[in-house]
Amino acid sequence: MLLENSEQKTTRLLRPLTAILTEAGATLINTLTGHTGGVTAVARTPDGTRVISGSDDKTLKIWHLETGQELNTLKGHTDWVRAIAVTPDGTRVISGSDDGTLKVWNLQTGEELNTLKGHTDWVRAVAVTPDSKRVISGSSDSTIKIWNLETGAELKTLAGHIGPVRALAVTPDGKRLISGSFDHTLKVWDLETGKQLNTLTGHPDTVRTVALTPDGLRAISGSADGTLKVWDLKAFKPLFTLKGHSDTVRSLAVTPDGKLLISASDDRSLKVWNLETGKKLFTFTGHTGTVRAVALTPDGKRLISVASDQTLKVWYLNTENNFITLTSHTDKVLGVAVTPDGKRVVSGAFDKTLKVSSLETGRQLFSLKGHTGEVQAVAVTPDGKRAISGARDCTLKVWDLQTGKELNTLAGHCGWVRSVAVTPDGKRAVSASLDETLKVWDLPTGKELFTLKGHTNSVQAVAVTPDSKLAISASVDQTLKVWDLETGEQLFTFFGHTGTVRAVAVTPDGKRVISGSSDQTLKVWDLENRQKLFTLVGHTGRVRGVAIAPDGKRVISASEDSTLKVWDLESAEVIASFTGADALWCCAVAPDGVTVVAGEASGRVHCLRLEQTPQQ
């Protein structure tokens, strides 16, 4: 699942996003670029508005989290920046570097305030006490140093590890420090006395990262052995081990409620874990290099990851599924429709059946069987009482949606029925066929009223205007045609696509037509002035389905590139995207305007909800 970004200059990514189709996991909101080396460290300000990154390019950068704008670059280190911490009062940034120093920076101005010297090797870990008065550093010289942040004076040196110190965390009460080392151990220290309280053993390799739960009762460690361990800090014992990464765990973050843990790894992934059960909830990927660090916003809803691919990524963390997946079909789902009350979805598939399912529970209510060929199209009458299906057996069938009973069969086409639409007054159905024609049917009697001829190849899709007066058809001949439904007269033709036109929809005001094509584009047409308005470009596969939200402001497209895209018709930009496991062949929007249904080649039907993006 991805959010679309449009780039403006090299340091600012604008998000046209207003909503996201979400499943449990994380959705990419933004990618921040600007570093010329791998990004090694990240921290955010206490108010969650800014992010600070450190890099192999020897600089720190300050970013505006909401816009992605680069606000400042801090220069002064002579080697890679390896660790970053922000004071709890939000006024200063402390960085640790392979040049053996720590630097203290004014967060507002970017001014370097002080350089702390004393380590004899790389500084790889930095932490600040809750009172913002002391900074603690861990070094490859195997020591930990405690510094007075105001004066820069070294207060204590903690010696005990027999290998480089790679991780530090201070308990919320500011009384204890937990460190992780190349010596495979964690150590617990009394910050007032500098006394070592305990050593935690269990990892068979380097401890790379340490995090604490908000209550300070548990520590979590990540190791080069690819595992995470959760420790009881009262009993000084391991509670359980989390396994799932295939390489070194570099960084950890815990949500403010203490329920979830996020881990970042050399395997290029981030994983989300339930801290109560130890269960891995989901994995998300997107970086093309080692993920070196991760941080969470104060509300726990967004996380920032950094990697050796020189980027920062901002993700929306979602802990609940906002969609239902129906898996009742055994083959490609070729047509979907939602009942007017928004409670049920009707799907037709290559398995020759229609399924009626509850949108609220995902439960299948009944299966409609009767076609002897693959079901290619589905429509529902405006009163929600009947469904009309078109199939490869060249027929249409009318079904009672209360009982599941077949009411009528409409025969007359001599080719597959690829699409069907019902007039908003509920009196007629219009079908499109491979026989290059459309047929108009009287629904109460099942009588064929007339046949529309004019296309030079099979007709793939049909839509009807809200006033029930016009039909718009789409064809393999790369055109759309507009027909008078009273007389059967062909009024005019739209030209412009360079591939088969496979889908068509009309806006609720009847003024615009949107078409989807094998040329991977959607086109928006002015029905009144008979001209093309603009083209929507973004899919990398054939566009199979098009649907329009009831407010007429958004269009949804389904494509063989496995994505469902939501477009803003005013800006002509993608505002949301969902990625399925297989090609998507059709889509529909419920009357509420936020429930979207998509049929997949795998036989699944995805029932998604368009959710608002969290704002700060």
Side-chain angles (χ1 to χ4, degrees):
M1 177 179 325
L2 299 174
L3 303 187
E4 302 294 332
N5 297 300
S6 60
E7 189 170 355
Q8 186 179 53
K9 299 184 180 180
T10 57
T11 60
R12 183 183 174 104
L13 289 179
L14 299 181
R15 292 191 291 119
L17 183 71
T18 60
I20 46 176
L21 291 172
T22 59
E23 63 176 322
T27 308
L28 181 62
I29 299 173
N30 213 342
T31 298
L32 313 182
T33 60
H35 280 295
T36 58
V39 190
T40 55
V42 67
R44 49 82 177 166
T45 55
D47 62 7
T49 62
R50 288 165 294 171
V51 173
I52 302 92
S53 57
S55 170
D56 293 354
D57 64 15
K58 307 175 188 178
T59 72
L60 293 89
K61 288 184 182 291
I62 302 173
W63 311 82
H64 190 287
L65 184 59
E66 193 64 32
T67 66
Q69 181 184 4
E70 182 184 320
L71 301 175
N72 208 343
T73 298
L74 312 182
K75 298 179 180 180
H77 282 295
T78 58
D79 209 333
W80 294 3
V81 179
R82 290 292 195 172
I84 296 174
V86 178
T87 55
D89 61 15
T91 62
R92 288 162 291 180
V93 177
I94 300 93
S95 55
S97 169
D98 280 1
D99 63 17
T101 71
L102 294 94
K103 288 186 182 291
V104 183
W105 312 83
N106 182 304
L107 189 52
Q108 295 301 320
T109 66
E111 177 191 0
E112 181 183 323
L113 301 176
N114 208 347
T115 298
L116 311 182
K117 299 178 180 179
H119 284 294
T120 58
D121 210 334
W122 302 339
V123 179
R124 292 294 180 91
V126 175
V128 181
T129 55
D131 60 9
S132 298
K133 293 181 178 180
R134 291 170 292 172
V135 62
I136 301 109
S137 56
S139 170
S140 292
D141 64 14
S142 303
T143 71
I144 298 165
K145 289 185 182 292
I146 303 173
W147 312 78
N148 182 304
L149 195 49
E150 292 301 320
T151 65
E154 182 183 321
L155 302 176
K156 287 185 180 71
T157 296
L158 311 182
H161 282 295
I162 56 173
V165 179
R166 285 290 183 261
L168 296 171
V170 179
T171 54
D173 60 12
K175 294 181 178 179
R176 290 180 295 171
L177 173 73
I178 294 87
S179 58
S181 169
F182 255 56
D183 64 15
H184 307 178
T185 72
L186 293 92
K187 290 185 181 290
V188 184
W189 310 81
D190 185 309
L191 269 181
E192 292 304 315
T193 64
K195 180 182 177 182
Q196 182 180 316
L197 301 177
N198 213 309
T199 298
L200 310 179
T201 60
H203 282 294
D205 208 332
T206 301
V207 179
R208 287 278 188 177
T209 179
V210 175
L212 297 169
T213 54
D215 58 14
L217 298 178
R218 289 174 294 168
I220 305 97
S221 56
S223 170
D225 63 21
T227 72
L228 300 89
K229 289 185 182 291
V230 181
W231 307 83
D232 183 326
L233 287 181
K234 282 189 174 180
F236 298 115
K237 65 178 183 180
L239 298 175
F240 47 87
T241 300
L242 311 180
K243 297 180 180 180
H245 283 294
S246 59
D247 210 330
T248 298
V249 180
R250 291 269 180 182
S251 183
L252 300 169
V254 179
T255 53
D257 59 11
K259 294 180 179 180
L260 301 179
L261 171 70
I262 297 91
S263 56
S265 170
D266 281 9
D267 64 15
R268 302 184 180 184
S269 77
L270 294 104
K271 294 184 185 293
V272 181
W273 313 78
N274 183 313
L275 264 179
E276 294 302 317
T277 64
K279 180 183 177 183
K280 181 180 68 179
L281 301 179
F282 29 80
T283 299
F284 46 101
T285 58
H287 282 293
T288 58
T290 296
V291 186
R292 290 178 169 177
V294 64
L296 274 165
T297 53
D299 60 9
K301 292 182 179 180
R302 283 177 288 178
L303 58 93
I304 307 96
S305 58
V306 303
S308 59
D309 60 15
Q310 303 183 8
T311 70
L312 296 87
K313 290 186 182 293
V314 184
W315 312 79
Y316 168 51
L317 182 63
N318 181 44
T319 58
E320 296 181 3
N321 282 319
N322 284 318
F323 70 88
I324 296 170
T325 297
L326 314 176
T327 57
S328 53
H329 287 291
T330 58
D331 211 329
K332 299 180 186 72
V333 180
L334 303 174
V336 289
V338 179
T339 54
D341 60 10
K343 293 182 178 180
R344 291 171 294 168
V345 59
V346 185
S347 55
F350 218 67
D351 61 14
K352 304 178 184 179
T353 70
L354 291 92
K355 306 280 185 185
V356 182
S357 305
S358 169
L359 263 178
E360 297 172 332
T361 66
R363 185 170 64 91
Q364 182 182 312
L365 302 177
F366 41 82
S367 180
L368 311 180
K369 298 179 180 180
H371 281 295
T372 58
E374 294 87 345
V375 180
Q376 305 271 322
V378 178
V380 176
T381 55
D383 60 11
K385 294 181 179 180
R386 292 167 293 170
I388 298 92
S389 56
R392 192 172 180 175
D393 59 17
C394 306
T395 71
L396 294 94
K397 288 185 181 291
V398 184
W399 310 85
D400 186 313
L401 282 180
Q402 298 302 314
T403 64
K405 181 181 177 181
E406 180 185 325
L407 301 176
N408 208 347
T409 297
L410 312 181
H413 281 295
C414 58
W416 305 355
V417 179
R418 293 303 297 262
S419 180
V420 61
V422 179
T423 55
D425 59 17
K427 295 179 180 179
R428 291 168 292 172
V430 185
S431 55
S433 169
L434 263 63
D435 64 14
E436 302 181 7
T437 72
L438 296 98
K439 290 185 180 292
V440 183
W441 310 83
D442 181 82
L443 273 181
T445 64
K447 179 183 177 181
E448 180 186 326
L449 299 177
F450 45 85
T451 299
L452 311 180
K453 297 181 179 180
H455 282 293
T456 58
N457 210 322
S458 63
V459 188
Q460 297 288 308
V462 64
V464 178
T465 54
D467 59 9
S468 301
K469 292 181 179 180
L470 303 178
I472 299 92
S473 56
S475 170
V476 175
D477 65 16
Q478 303 182 9
T479 72
L480 293 98
K481 291 185 180 295
V482 181
W483 311 82
D484 186 314
L485 279 179
E486 295 302 320
T487 65
E489 177 188 2
Q490 179 184 321
L491 300 178
F492 55 93
T493 301
F494 286 126
F495 297 93
H497 281 294
T498 58
T500 296
V501 189
R502 296 189 177 274
V504 65
V506 182
T507 54
D509 61 9
K511 294 181 179 180
R512 290 180 289 178
V513 172
I514 294 90
S515 56
S517 170
S518 293
D519 64 17
Q520 304 180 4
T521 72
L522 293 93
K523 292 186 183 293
V524 182
W525 311 85
D526 186 320
L527 196 53
E528 293 180 325
N529 296 313
R530 304 184 179 187
Q531 63 183 4
K532 184 181 73 175
L533 297 176
F534 50 89
T535 299
L536 306 178
V537 180
H539 281 296
T540 58
R542 290 181 285 194
V543 180
R544 284 280 184 177
V546 173
I548 299 172
D551 61 8
K553 295 180 180 179
R554 291 167 291 173
V555 62
I556 294 88
S557 56
S559 170
E560 289 184 21
D561 64 11
S562 302
T563 70
L564 188 80
K565 293 185 184 295
V566 183
W567 308 78
D568 184 298
L569 277 179
E570 293 304 314
S571 65
E573 293 182 334
V574 174
I575 59 173
S577 182
F578 169 80
T579 302
D582 208 336
L584 297 176
W585 285 65
C586 52
C587 59
V589 184
D592 62 11
V594 296
T595 302
V596 181
V597 179
E600 194 174 88
S602 65
R604 287 185 284 262
V605 177
H606 297 295
C607 305
L608 307 113
R609 189 168 179 82
L610 198 61
E611 300 284 358
Q612 287 303 114
T613 301
Q615 299 293 324
Q616 279 217 295

